[in-house]
Amino acid sequence: MAYLRALAFVLTLAGAFIFLVPLQALARRRGWPIQHAVQTRFCRVVCAVIGVKVDARGALPSPAPRFVVANHVSWTDIIALASLYPFVFLAKSEVARWPVLGLLARLQGTVFVKRGARQDVSRVNDALADVLRAGGDLVVFAEGTSSDGAAVLPFRSAHFAPLEAMAARGEAPTLAPAAISYSDGANKIDVGWYGDMSFLPHLWSLMKRGRTQCHIVFGEEIETSDKDRKTLAAETHARVQKLLASHGRNRESPQTSCFETVATQPPQHEDCLLS
């Protein structure tokens, strides 16, 4: 099965380069709504090909735009989230040059930031604010890195700067926490790509495993008025931890059903413009 997944993965990428990349580039340049369908459907196909089943609980709080803050376990977080909604992501600039991930990132209109480049912070914050003002839903992995998912690392307050600035002007978007975890259907598993791991061996291991479930829990809106970035970071971190703990208890309970499967039937999404 792993070899069939690998073949399907190669064919999917080849088809994307030939057909979807030119279409998405044109759609984004001209503002065609089809850009959202291209993103979500392509990510759903990739999830299916590599053996990741996306299950979601809850829904994004209203109104749009939403500033979604989540913990970060693996690169698959991105395609799992993007299979549900046409999100815009924040990522380090190196991602744009990575195989596979770079393609996915560009298709989704990712905002890239240079690590350690303080002079780039203002540009990035302005770009994120522009996405939100245009009605786009933005995802930020506030830990700043991926991990094995055993615990939620501290959230970096710098990631909340655009939110703080917009709130001060009375135009803050909805702050929505989201918790991400993985299981084999019964037990929590580690699918993280972190440290010195090479991507291709990691991808091959994921394909061989198969039947991986990515659980995404959307929480209720967090109030942002009269709060600075450090307070917002601390409150959001606590909420994400609570969502993860709650999901863990529910999964262990035989009386609680699994998440609603949304990989093939995504929830309704309000109009969302990618910048």
Side-chain angles (χ1 to χ4, degrees), residues 32-236:
W32 294 343
I34 195 176
Q35 62 182 287
H36 309 314
V38 169
Q39 174 182 329
T40 55
R41 291 177 185 176
F42 174 69
C43 289
R44 269 180 252 155
V45 170
V46 173
C47 283
V49 166
I50 65 177
V52 174
K53 178 182 178 181
V54 182
D55 297 317
R57 170 179 293 177
L60 284 176
S62 296
R66 274 67 64 110
F67 187 92
V68 181
V69 180
N71 62 306
H72 194 21
V73 181
S74 179
W75 65 276
T76 49
D77 301 347
I78 298 173
I79 58 173
L81 284 164
S83 73
L84 304 178
Y85 296 98
F87 287 120
V88 177
F89 294 83
L90 173 67
K92 59 184 181 181
S93 58
E94 296 96 306
V95 172
R97 300 188 296 272
W98 286 353
V100 182
L101 301 188
L103 168 64
L104 294 174
R106 289 190 294 273
L107 278 176
Q108 293 164 189
T110 299
V111 177
F112 296 105
V113 57
K114 296 180 181 178
R115 281 191 173 182
R118 292 185 177 276
Q119 68 275 13
D120 197 41
V121 172
S122 178
R123 178 196 65 81
V124 171
N125 286 342
D126 288 344
L128 297 180
D130 287 344
V131 169
L132 295 166
R133 290 192 185 101
D137 290 329
L138 180 69
V139 173
V140 172
F141 298 113
E143 293 166 298
T145 186
S146 58
S147 69
D148 61 3
V152 182
L153 302 177
F155 284 176
R156 299 183 179 181
S157 61
H159 289 302
F160 293 81
L163 190 63
E164 180 186 36
M166 293 181 71
R169 292 191 291 268
E171 55 181 7
T174 300
L175 175 55
I180 302 172
S181 61
Y182 291 82
S183 77
D184 59 7
N187 301 303
K188 187 175 180 179
I189 57 175
D190 178 12
V191 299
W193 177 41
Y194 49 87
D196 296 327
M197 291 182 181
S198 297
F199 178 68
L200 290 180
H202 164 75
L203 177 61
W204 178 244
S205 176
L206 188 64
M207 290 180 176
K208 286 194 298 182
R209 180 194 299 273
R211 294 189 296 183
T212 297
Q213 293 190 13
C214 175
H215 305 287
I216 301 175
V217 185
F218 293 109
E220 296 181 356
E221 175 185 2
I222 296 175
E223 178 59 46
T224 60
S225 59
D226 299 321
K227 296 177 182 176
D228 61 24
R229 68 186 72 179
K230 291 185 178 181
T231 300
L232 291 171
E235 289 190 12
T236 308

Side-chain angles (χ1 to χ4, degrees), residues 3-28:
Y3 290 101
L4 292 178
R5 290 189 188 282
L7 176 60
F9 186 72
V10 171
L11 293 176
T12 298
L13 290 185
F17 274 110
I18 296 172
F19 301 108
L20 293 187
V21 171
L23 173 61
Q24 183 72 339
L26 182 61
R28 286 178 53 78

